[in-house]
Amino acid sequence: ESRYRTIVETVQEGIWMIDAMGATTFANDRLGEMFGYEPAEMLTRTVSDLMHEADQPLAIVSLAGLESANEHLDFRFQRKDGSDLWAIVSANRLLDEAGSYFGTLATLTDITARREQEEARRTSEQQLERAERVAHLGHWSLELATDALTWSDEHCRIFGRQPADGSPSHREALDQVHPEDRPILARLVARTISDGTPYEVEIRVIRPDGSLVTVESRGTREVDSDGVAIRLVGTAQDVSQRKQAGRELRSNQELLRQAQKMEAIGNLAGGIAHDFNNLLTAIIGFNEMALDEEPLTNTVRTYLEEALKSAERAATLTRQLLAFSRRQILHLEIIDINAVVTDMSRLLGRVIGEDIQLDTVLDPAKTWVRADPGQMEQVILNLAVNARDAMAAGAHLTIQTRNIELDAVRSTLYGMVRGPCVQLSVTDTGMGITKADLAQIFEPFFTTKPPGHGTGMGLATVYGIVKQSEGHVAVASEVGVGTTFDVYLPQAAADVAVKAAARAKPQLFSGNETILLVEDEPEVRKLAGTVLQRAGYTVLVAADGEAAIKAVGRHKGAIELLLTDVVMPGMNGPALAALLIKVRPAMKVLFMSGYPGDALQRQDVLQDGATYIAKPFRPRALAQKVRELLDRPHRSRRLAAPAGRASATRS
């Protein structure tokens, strides 16, 4: 007995005996040390006390009812101080003379340090893989004795291969190198193997789909204890975009500065739009309601009308800023650019005047794109007006459309998807644009016109609309010759049917339904509530998401419509809608905002039966939108709630 006790108390494994109910009947000192308990305390602990919460169900079944002897299992336990203890458990069933089970004898080997090391290694590998993907940088290894080649996942992607297919053979990899570059690479590799000089070279790689990429390859050798080269290791980085941009642009730094400047201006425009549009909503709405009051003197009516005109001009300027900053809601449809140009021809003729000749050269094929038709009309009109202001009498304005194939170089430069696209070109024979002005041509409020002639928002609006439509706009000009603006838009599938659904506008915008109004701005909340109540609706008013939830809980009757702001403190509109739809599935949703940011597009909630009205809105427009939505046939929808509380703050 003394010999056995000495063995049990000196081994590095914990020895644990439990009965059929999971209670501890014996524990050696080492087991107590592992768990941080005194020997006497261990005897008061059960399997449930010591197991980690996540592993308890499996552990109780496994340790108390093994199907076979000498089971080896990895379990996570919990020490006295609350820290995790990982251990390999080797367990055996204990049977009495009659063969009945009465307990389990287990030995525990502490593997916590090993598990932590493995977890750290996995985390490190994941971080490395993410870094490689961001940098388009892959790594590789070549065993010189066996010619076995190993590639990282990102290296496979650079060469146009699927990581799941594994690394190619050395010969297959060399076959992808452009024939003209293979001799250079072979000489550098041979030198590295012979004298250890690391190499760095740019090579062209032919992908399986036939596309060509430029790769910056680096390599060095590893040697054994005798100094003999045993393997080559290195990296490969896709530098195609950098090379292409370098060929097309004079300076990458200039391009970066320009992009940062445009982004900063866009962020500023979007940041002020929400609060500014809230103010304009109240100003326009209360002015309109005041104009409906009788009696009004002519003087007062004139004052109100002038104030309303000024507010509407301010609202137009805000819409232009939002267009530039790419933060407006687009109503996307499949449209034919040829049809848009044709329909606008008469209007454009009046805009540019009779002394300028307008020519249209349209692609014979349909020019299908997925875009907002109203915004595309704005693009064409703004480009035509800009051209008109640069031309004298007798000049020519040409609008041309073409279906083209966007190659790899231009798709990279334009930030577009490679493939078929529609090119819309507007060319004038005007005075042209200087190189200094070209660098600022799309900036808001930049204009070469004299004071009082234009706001400088026309081309900025074009830039924002095209970029938000996943396209690109380019300009080429020569002083004294003329200017061409080229708009590129991804081509939509030609077999998509385009139907303009003509809907008769209702004349009466009143009703008796119940509407839940959620708006954190007091002025807008008061205006919208007044408009809806005057139209006959029962209005439940809430200043934020939590108040709205309480209002729904108190209201026993039906709530036909939720009218909510998008950007609110605490819980934003989409998150609130997603929550309330679960308890009121028949309730329809109308979002409103002066600056929704990405909250609507990111979750595609407008695709799921909800709709949107932009601030500032006029009282009649709100009443009409509410009535149209209430009259629309109900369809099921799944509004996706953002992760967490989905709080939103203003810029």
Side-chain angles (χ1 to χ4, degrees):
E1 181 180 351
S2 175
R3 183 185 305 121
Y4 279 118
R5 179 171 295 279
T6 300
I7 293 172
V8 167
E9 296 300 344
T10 57
V11 294
Q12 291 304 303
E13 284 74 27
I15 298 179
W16 191 17
M17 187 180 292
I18 59 175
D19 62 19
M21 301 303 294
T24 301
T25 58
F26 175 80
N28 69 346
D29 291 347
R30 173 57 181 155
L31 188 68
E33 292 173 4
M34 291 167 62
F35 281 99
Y37 289 103
E38 294 296 329
E41 290 181 294
M42 285 298 300
L43 295 177
T44 65
R45 296 295 182 266
T46 66
V47 172
S48 298
D49 296 333
L50 298 172
M51 292 302 303
H52 191 279
E53 188 177 297
D55 288 1
Q56 277 190 21
L58 176 63
I60 293 173
V61 173
S62 301
L63 294 180
L66 299 171
E67 295 297 328
S68 61
N70 202 31
E71 292 269 0
H72 292 271
L73 302 168
D74 281 13
F75 282 121
R76 182 169 37 158
F77 297 88
Q78 198 163 34
R79 296 188 178 100
K80 184 177 182 179
D81 62 6
S83 60
D84 288 348
L85 167 68
W86 282 95
I88 297 176
V89 180
S90 177
N92 289 274
R93 292 163 57 88
L94 297 177
L95 306 177
D96 60 19
E97 293 180 356
S100 298
Y101 169 75
F102 71 87
T104 301
L105 176 64
T107 60
L108 276 66
T109 304
D110 187 350
I111 59 169
T112 305
R114 190 181 78 189
R115 289 295 294 251
E116 291 175 348
Q117 291 172 355
E118 290 174 352
E119 183 62 30
R121 178 179 54 80
R122 281 193 297 270
T123 301
S124 178
E125 289 175 350
Q126 291 170 357
Q127 291 173 340
L128 175 61
E129 184 178 354
R130 286 196 296 269
E132 286 188 351
R133 294 204 67 172
V134 170
H136 299 292
L137 178 69
H139 65 269
W140 55 269
S141 174
L142 175 64
E143 298 295 329
L144 298 178
T146 62
D147 217 27
L149 181 63
T150 304
W151 279 358
S152 68
D153 289 352
E154 185 59 23
H155 199 294
C156 290
R157 296 186 189 98
I158 291 172
F159 274 62
R161 296 176 175 270
Q162 295 298 323
D165 296 336
S167 302
S169 68
H170 188 200
R171 174 48 55 191
E172 290 173 331
L174 288 176
D175 286 343
Q176 282 194 244
V177 178
H178 194 284
E180 295 177 1
D181 297 341
R182 288 176 198 165
I184 302 172
L185 180 62
R187 286 196 301 270
L188 293 174
V189 169
R191 188 182 68 177
T192 299
I193 294 174
S194 63
D195 63 16
T197 303
Y199 73 83
E200 179 179 336
V201 64
E202 284 187 2
I203 56 175
R204 289 165 293 174
V205 170
I206 305 170
R207 287 174 167 168
D209 63 3
S211 61
L212 198 67
V213 294
T214 302
V215 174
E216 189 173 77
S217 178
R218 296 183 178 91
T220 188
R221 73 174 187 178
E222 292 183 353
V223 298
D224 60 16
S225 57
D226 297 326
V228 178
I230 56 174
R231 72 177 58 87
L232 289 178
V233 295
T235 62
Q237 185 172 25
D238 182 355
V239 295
S240 302
Q241 295 183 2
R242 189 175 71 197
K243 297 291 289 184
Q244 291 163 358
R247 287 192 297 265
E248 295 290 332
L249 303 172
R250 291 184 174 181
S251 169
N252 283 335
Q253 292 181 344
E254 180 183 347
L255 176 64
L256 178 61
R257 285 195 300 269
Q258 181 71 4
Q260 289 174 334
K261 180 169 61 176
M262 299 290 272
E263 187 66 23
I265 297 172
N267 287 335
L268 176 63
I272 66 173
H274 181 277
D275 288 344
F276 191 46
N277 276 328
N278 274 334
L279 295 173
L280 288 175
T281 299
I283 293 170
I284 292 174
F286 285 120
N287 263 277
E288 269 205 353
M289 294 171 67
L291 284 168
D292 290 338
E293 296 292 332
E294 295 293 346
L296 286 178
T297 66
N298 290 336
T299 301
V300 172
R301 181 174 296 278
T302 299
Y303 291 161
L304 290 173
E305 288 174 347
E306 289 301 317
L308 190 59
K309 289 178 183 178
S310 297
E312 288 172 342
R313 285 196 294 271
T316 300
L317 178 60
T318 305
R319 283 194 294 271
Q320 290 174 326
L321 284 170
L322 285 176
F324 166 75
S325 60
R326 291 166 273 168
R327 286 167 170 82
Q328 58 183 344
I329 296 295
L330 297 182
H331 301 282
L332 301 178
E333 300 175 14
I334 305 299
I335 60 174
D336 182 7
I337 291 295
N338 282 348
V340 176
V341 173
T342 301
D343 292 344
M344 293 188 67
S345 294
R346 182 176 298 178
L347 169 64
L348 294 177
R350 293 197 299 268
V351 167
I352 64 176
E354 296 179 356
D355 53 352
I356 295 176
Q357 181 177 337
L358 173 64
D359 296 319
T360 57
V361 182
L362 306 182
D363 193 308
K366 295 288 187 181
T367 50
W368 298 114
V369 298
R370 187 169 184 263
D372 185 317
Q375 297 295 334
M376 284 301 106
E377 291 176 354
Q378 186 72 46
V379 166
I380 296 171
L381 180 62
N382 285 10
L383 291 177
V385 169
N386 185 74
R388 177 203 64 190
D389 294 342
M391 292 187 291
H396 287 75
L397 177 65
T398 303
I399 301 178
Q400 182 177 10
T401 63
R402 291 194 302 160
N403 287 294
I404 67 170
E405 188 74 18
L406 206 61
D407 58 27
V409 174
R410 285 194 292 176
S411 65
T412 300
L413 289 174
Y414 298 168
M416 296 176 61
V417 176
R418 179 181 178 181
C421 80
V422 173
Q423 179 183 358
L424 169 70
S425 300
V426 178
T427 303
D428 65 63
T429 57
M431 64 183 70
I433 306 170
T434 66
K435 292 181 180 180
D437 290 340
L438 277 176
Q440 308 174 72
I441 199 68
F442 293 116
E443 293 179 14
F445 306 118
F446 174 80
T447 179
T448 57
K449 301 171 186 175
H453 294 75
T455 63
M457 285 301 300
L459 293 180
T461 302
V462 170
Y463 174 88
I465 292 172
V466 173
K467 283 295 184 181
Q468 194 173 1
S469 303
E470 300 182 351
H472 177 74
V473 56
V475 56
S477 184
E478 186 175 347
V479 176
V481 177
T483 303
T484 297
F485 285 89
D486 290 317
V487 174
Y488 301 88
L489 296 169
Q491 191 181 86
D495 58 349
V496 177
V498 181
K499 297 180 180 179
R503 293 179 296 179
K505 293 185 178 180
Q507 296 302 310
L508 297 176
F509 307 128
S510 59
N512 56 8
E513 291 90 344
T514 298
I515 297 174
L516 174 59
L517 168 63
V518 188
E519 168 61 62
D520 61 306
E521 289 293 336
E523 298 85 357
V524 180
R525 188 166 66 244
K526 182 178 180 181
L527 171 68
T530 302
V531 171
L532 296 174
Q533 287 170 351
R534 286 189 174 187
Y537 299 104
T538 299
V539 183
L540 308 177
V541 180
D544 53 39
E546 294 198 7
I549 294 171
K550 292 178 182 178
V552 171
R554 290 193 301 266
H555 187 75
K556 303 304 180 184
I559 300 177
E560 285 80 6
L561 177 67
L562 167 64
L563 173 60
T564 178
D565 193 13
V566 174
V567 180
M568 297 186 296
M571 179 183 293
N572 66 26
L576 174 64
L579 184 63
L580 295 183
I581 287 300
K582 294 179 181 179
V583 296
R584 300 273 185 159
M587 183 173 62
K588 296 177 180 179
V589 180
L590 174 58
F591 292 109
M592 57 179 173
S593 183
Y595 163 40
D598 298 326
L600 297 184
Q601 294 96 325
R602 183 172 59 248
Q603 300 164 58
D604 286 336
V605 295
L606 295 184
Q607 310 263 333
D608 293 309
T611 189
Y612 169 78
I613 184 170
K615 296 177 184 176
F617 50 74
R618 306 182 81 156
R620 180 178 176 83
L622 175 62
Q624 178 179 344
K625 180 71 75 170
V626 167
R627 189 68 260 161
E628 288 177 352
L629 182 56
L630 288 172
D631 292 339
R632 184 186 302 171
H634 183 274
R635 67 184 182 91
S636 61
R637 58 202 184 278
R638 298 182 301 275
L639 291 174
R645 294 278 294 170
S647 61
T649 57
R650 296 188 184 85
S651 301

mmCIF file of all heavy atoms in Angstrom, residues 154-177:
data_model
loop_
_atom_site.group_PDB
_atom_site.id
_atom_site.type_symbol
_atom_site.label_atom_id
_atom_site.label_comp_id
_atom_site.label_asym_id
_atom_site.label_seq_id
_atom_site.Cartn_x
_atom_site.Cartn_y
_atom_site.Cartn_z
ATOM 1 N N GLU A 154 -3.081 32.530 -50.895
ATOM 2 C CA GLU A 154 -3.047 33.769 -51.661
ATOM 3 C C GLU A 154 -2.141 33.630 -52.880
ATOM 4 O O GLU A 154 -2.415 34.213 -53.935
ATOM 5 C CB GLU A 154 -2.580 34.929 -50.777
ATOM 6 C CG GLU A 154 -2.634 36.292 -51.447
ATOM 7 C CD GLU A 154 -4.029 36.670 -51.907
ATOM 8 O OE1 GLU A 154 -5.018 36.141 -51.361
ATOM 9 O OE2 GLU A 154 -4.130 37.501 -52.830
ATOM 10 N N HIS A 155 -1.076 32.839 -52.774
ATOM 11 C CA HIS A 155 -0.217 32.599 -53.927
ATOM 12 C C HIS A 155 -1.008 31.898 -55.029
ATOM 13 O O HIS A 155 -0.867 32.220 -56.219
ATOM 14 C CB HIS A 155 0.988 31.751 -53.513
ATOM 15 C CG HIS A 155 2.144 31.811 -54.469
ATOM 16 N ND1 HIS A 155 2.057 31.316 -55.746
ATOM 17 C CD2 HIS A 155 3.398 32.314 -54.351
ATOM 18 C CE1 HIS A 155 3.214 31.489 -56.364
ATOM 19 N NE2 HIS A 155 4.045 32.107 -55.538
ATOM 20 N N CYS A 156 -1.862 30.934 -54.632
ATOM 21 C CA CYS A 156 -2.713 30.255 -55.612
ATOM 22 C C CYS A 156 -3.627 31.258 -56.311
ATOM 23 O O CYS A 156 -3.787 31.220 -57.538
ATOM 24 C CB CYS A 156 -3.549 29.173 -54.930
ATOM 25 S SG CYS A 156 -2.602 27.749 -54.356
ATOM 26 N N ARG A 157 -4.221 32.163 -55.537
ATOM 27 C CA ARG A 157 -5.140 33.139 -56.126
ATOM 28 C C ARG A 157 -4.406 34.069 -57.093
ATOM 29 O O ARG A 157 -4.952 34.448 -58.127
ATOM 30 C CB ARG A 157 -5.818 33.953 -55.019
ATOM 31 C CG ARG A 157 -6.715 33.126 -54.098
ATOM 32 C CD ARG A 157 -7.478 34.023 -53.121
ATOM 33 N NE ARG A 157 -8.176 33.229 -52.106
ATOM 34 C CZ ARG A 157 -7.710 32.998 -50.891
ATOM 35 N NH1 ARG A 157 -6.530 33.524 -50.525
ATOM 36 N NH2 ARG A 157 -8.376 32.273 -50.031
ATOM 37 N N ILE A 158 -3.185 34.469 -56.737
ATOM 38 C CA ILE A 158 -2.413 35.353 -57.619
ATOM 39 C C ILE A 158 -2.201 34.690 -58.968
ATOM 40 O O ILE A 158 -2.290 35.334 -60.021
ATOM 41 C CB ILE A 158 -1.061 35.714 -56.966
ATOM 42 C CG1 ILE A 158 -1.285 36.628 -55.747
ATOM 43 C CG2 ILE A 158 -0.135 36.402 -57.966
ATOM 44 C CD1 ILE A 158 -0.032 36.866 -54.933
ATOM 45 N N PHE A 159 -1.950 33.384 -58.964
ATOM 46 C CA PHE A 159 -1.725 32.647 -60.210
ATOM 47 C C PHE A 159 -3.032 32.163 -60.847
ATOM 48 O O PHE A 159 -3.008 31.380 -61.788
ATOM 49 C CB PHE A 159 -0.802 31.464 -59.952
ATOM 50 C CG PHE A 159 0.667 31.807 -60.036
ATOM 51 C CD1 PHE A 159 1.238 32.720 -59.173
ATOM 52 C CD2 PHE A 159 1.476 31.231 -61.015
ATOM 53 C CE1 PHE A 159 2.582 33.048 -59.244
ATOM 54 C CE2 PHE A 159 2.821 31.555 -61.101
ATOM 55 C CZ PHE A 159 3.388 32.464 -60.212
ATOM 56 N N GLY A 160 -4.171 32.620 -60.310
ATOM 57 C CA GLY A 160 -5.458 32.279 -60.903
ATOM 58 C C GLY A 160 -5.938 30.880 -60.606
ATOM 59 O O GLY A 160 -6.780 30.338 -61.326
ATOM 60 N N ARG A 161 -5.423 30.267 -59.548
ATOM 61 C CA ARG A 161 -5.820 28.910 -59.180
ATOM 62 C C ARG A 161 -6.680 28.929 -57.921
ATOM 63 O O ARG A 161 -6.653 29.881 -57.150
ATOM 64 C CB ARG A 161 -4.586 28.037 -58.945
ATOM 65 C CG ARG A 161 -3.736 27.830 -60.196
ATOM 66 C CD ARG A 161 -2.470 27.036 -59.879
ATOM 67 N NE ARG A 161 -1.690 26.727 -61.072
ATOM 68 C CZ ARG A 161 -1.845 25.633 -61.807
ATOM 69 N NH1 ARG A 161 -2.753 24.738 -61.444
ATOM 70 N NH2 ARG A 161 -1.112 25.418 -62.875
ATOM 71 N N GLN A 162 -7.427 27.858 -57.730
ATOM 72 C CA GLN A 162 -8.247 27.716 -56.544
ATOM 73 C C GLN A 162 -7.425 27.092 -55.423
ATOM 74 O O GLN A 162 -6.830 26.029 -55.617
ATOM 75 C CB GLN A 162 -9.479 26.844 -56.826
ATOM 76 C CG GLN A 162 -10.445 27.454 -57.821
ATOM 77 C CD GLN A 162 -11.023 28.765 -57.327
ATOM 78 O OE1 GLN A 162 -11.302 28.925 -56.137
ATOM 79 N NE2 GLN A 162 -11.202 29.709 -58.237
ATOM 80 N N PRO A 163 -7.384 27.712 -54.230
ATOM 81 C CA PRO A 163 -6.616 27.132 -53.117
ATOM 82 C C PRO A 163 -7.027 25.703 -52.793
ATOM 83 O O PRO A 163 -6.198 24.889 -52.378
ATOM 84 C CB PRO A 163 -6.923 28.084 -51.958
ATOM 85 C CG PRO A 163 -7.247 29.387 -52.608
ATOM 86 C CD PRO A 163 -7.956 29.017 -53.879
ATOM 87 N N ALA A 164 -8.325 25.384 -52.996
ATOM 88 C CA ALA A 164 -8.801 24.039 -52.665
ATOM 89 C C ALA A 164 -8.153 22.970 -53.549
ATOM 90 O O ALA A 164 -8.104 21.791 -53.176
ATOM 91 C CB ALA A 164 -10.322 23.977 -52.805
ATOM 92 N N ASP A 165 -7.660 23.362 -54.713
ATOM 93 C CA ASP A 165 -7.033 22.394 -55.618
ATOM 94 C C ASP A 165 -5.601 22.062 -55.219
ATOM 95 O O ASP A 165 -4.975 21.179 -55.813
ATOM 96 C CB ASP A 165 -7.050 22.942 -57.058
ATOM 97 C CG ASP A 165 -8.470 23.121 -57.585
ATOM 98 O OD1 ASP A 165 -9.365 22.428 -57.061
ATOM 99 O OD2 ASP A 165 -8.673 23.945 -58.479
ATOM 100 N N GLY A 166 -5.055 22.783 -54.254
ATOM 101 C CA GLY A 166 -3.695 22.521 -53.792
ATOM 102 C C GLY A 166 -2.642 23.170 -54.678
ATOM 103 O O GLY A 166 -2.937 23.810 -55.703
ATOM 104 N N SER A 167 -1.389 22.984 -54.286
ATOM 105 C CA SER A 167 -0.280 23.585 -55.037
ATOM 106 C C SER A 167 -0.024 22.810 -56.316
ATOM 107 O O SER A 167 -0.161 21.582 -56.361
ATOM 108 C CB SER A 167 0.986 23.589 -54.170
ATOM 109 O OG SER A 167 0.769 24.289 -52.960
ATOM 110 N N PRO A 168 0.366 23.498 -57.397
ATOM 111 C CA PRO A 168 0.699 22.797 -58.636
ATOM 112 C C PRO A 168 2.094 22.176 -58.533
ATOM 113 O O PRO A 168 2.816 22.370 -57.551
ATOM 114 C CB PRO A 168 0.670 23.919 -59.671
ATOM 115 C CG PRO A 168 1.114 25.122 -58.901
ATOM 116 C CD PRO A 168 0.553 24.953 -57.518
ATOM 117 N N SER A 169 2.462 21.441 -59.553
ATOM 118 C CA SER A 169 3.831 20.935 -59.602
ATOM 119 C C SER A 169 4.772 22.071 -60.004
ATOM 120 O O SER A 169 4.334 23.124 -60.484
ATOM 121 C CB SER A 169 3.939 19.798 -60.625
ATOM 122 O OG SER A 169 3.757 20.313 -61.944
ATOM 123 N N HIS A 170 6.078 21.843 -59.791
ATOM 124 C CA HIS A 170 7.054 22.867 -60.151
ATOM 125 C C HIS A 170 6.985 23.175 -61.644
ATOM 126 O O HIS A 170 7.049 24.334 -62.066
ATOM 127 C CB HIS A 170 8.455 22.376 -59.762
ATOM 128 C CG HIS A 170 9.510 23.430 -59.901
ATOM 129 N ND1 HIS A 170 10.846 23.135 -59.992
ATOM 130 C CD2 HIS A 170 9.413 24.784 -59.980
ATOM 131 C CE1 HIS A 170 11.525 24.258 -60.128
ATOM 132 N NE2 HIS A 170 10.690 25.271 -60.112
ATOM 133 N N ARG A 171 6.822 22.155 -62.461
ATOM 134 C CA ARG A 171 6.762 22.343 -63.907
ATOM 135 C C ARG A 171 5.525 23.137 -64.305
ATOM 136 O O ARG A 171 5.588 24.039 -65.154
ATOM 137 C CB ARG A 171 6.761 20.975 -64.598
ATOM 138 C CG ARG A 171 6.546 21.006 -66.118
ATOM 139 C CD ARG A 171 7.422 22.018 -66.833
ATOM 140 N NE ARG A 171 8.831 21.823 -66.533
ATOM 141 C CZ ARG A 171 9.776 22.692 -66.865
ATOM 142 N NH1 ARG A 171 9.446 23.836 -67.467
ATOM 143 N NH2 ARG A 171 11.026 22.461 -66.563
ATOM 144 N N GLU A 172 4.375 22.827 -63.679
ATOM 145 C CA GLU A 172 3.146 23.568 -63.983
ATOM 146 C C GLU A 172 3.287 25.039 -63.614
ATOM 147 O O GLU A 172 2.795 25.920 -64.325
ATOM 148 C CB GLU A 172 1.963 22.959 -63.222
ATOM 149 C CG GLU A 172 1.538 21.592 -63.728
ATOM 150 C CD GLU A 172 0.479 20.956 -62.850
ATOM 151 O OE1 GLU A 172 0.466 21.247 -61.632
ATOM 152 O OE2 GLU A 172 -0.318 20.164 -63.367
ATOM 153 N N ALA A 173 3.956 25.310 -62.496
ATOM 154 C CA ALA A 173 4.158 26.697 -62.086
ATOM 155 C C ALA A 173 5.031 27.442 -63.091
ATOM 156 O O ALA A 173 4.738 28.584 -63.463
ATOM 157 C CB ALA A 173 4.779 26.741 -60.693
ATOM 158 N N LEU A 174 6.117 26.805 -63.540
ATOM 159 C CA LEU A 174 6.999 27.451 -64.515
ATOM 160 C C LEU A 174 6.284 27.689 -65.841
ATOM 161 O O LEU A 174 6.544 28.685 -66.529
ATOM 162 C CB LEU A 174 8.250 26.595 -64.737
ATOM 163 C CG LEU A 174 9.256 26.567 -63.582
ATOM 164 C CD1 LEU A 174 10.395 25.611 -63.909
ATOM 165 C CD2 LEU A 174 9.794 27.962 -63.292
ATOM 166 N N ASP A 175 5.381 26.796 -66.210
ATOM 167 C CA ASP A 175 4.652 26.951 -67.470
ATOM 168 C C ASP A 175 3.754 28.185 -67.469
ATOM 169 O O ASP A 175 3.381 28.677 -68.535
ATOM 170 C CB ASP A 175 3.806 25.707 -67.743
ATOM 171 C CG ASP A 175 4.664 24.517 -68.177
ATOM 172 O OD1 ASP A 175 5.826 24.740 -68.562
ATOM 173 O OD2 ASP A 175 4.170 23.374 -68.114
ATOM 174 N N GLN A 176 3.401 28.668 -66.275
ATOM 175 C CA GLN A 176 2.555 29.864 -66.202
ATOM 176 C C GLN A 176 3.359 31.154 -66.339
ATOM 177 O O GLN A 176 2.774 32.219 -66.547
ATOM 178 C CB GLN A 176 1.769 29.887 -64.880
ATOM 179 C CG GLN A 176 0.571 28.958 -64.871
ATOM 180 C CD GLN A 176 -0.358 29.252 -63.702
ATOM 181 O OE1 GLN A 176 -0.533 28.412 -62.831
ATOM 182 N NE2 GLN A 176 -0.964 30.431 -63.683
ATOM 183 N N VAL A 177 4.678 31.077 -66.210
ATOM 184 C CA VAL A 177 5.514 32.265 -66.386
ATOM 185 C C VAL A 177 5.597 32.591 -67.873
ATOM 186 O O VAL A 177 5.758 31.695 -68.712
ATOM 187 C CB VAL A 177 6.918 32.034 -65.795
ATOM 188 C CG1 VAL A 177 7.802 33.256 -66.025
ATOM 189 C CG2 VAL A 177 6.825 31.712 -64.308
#
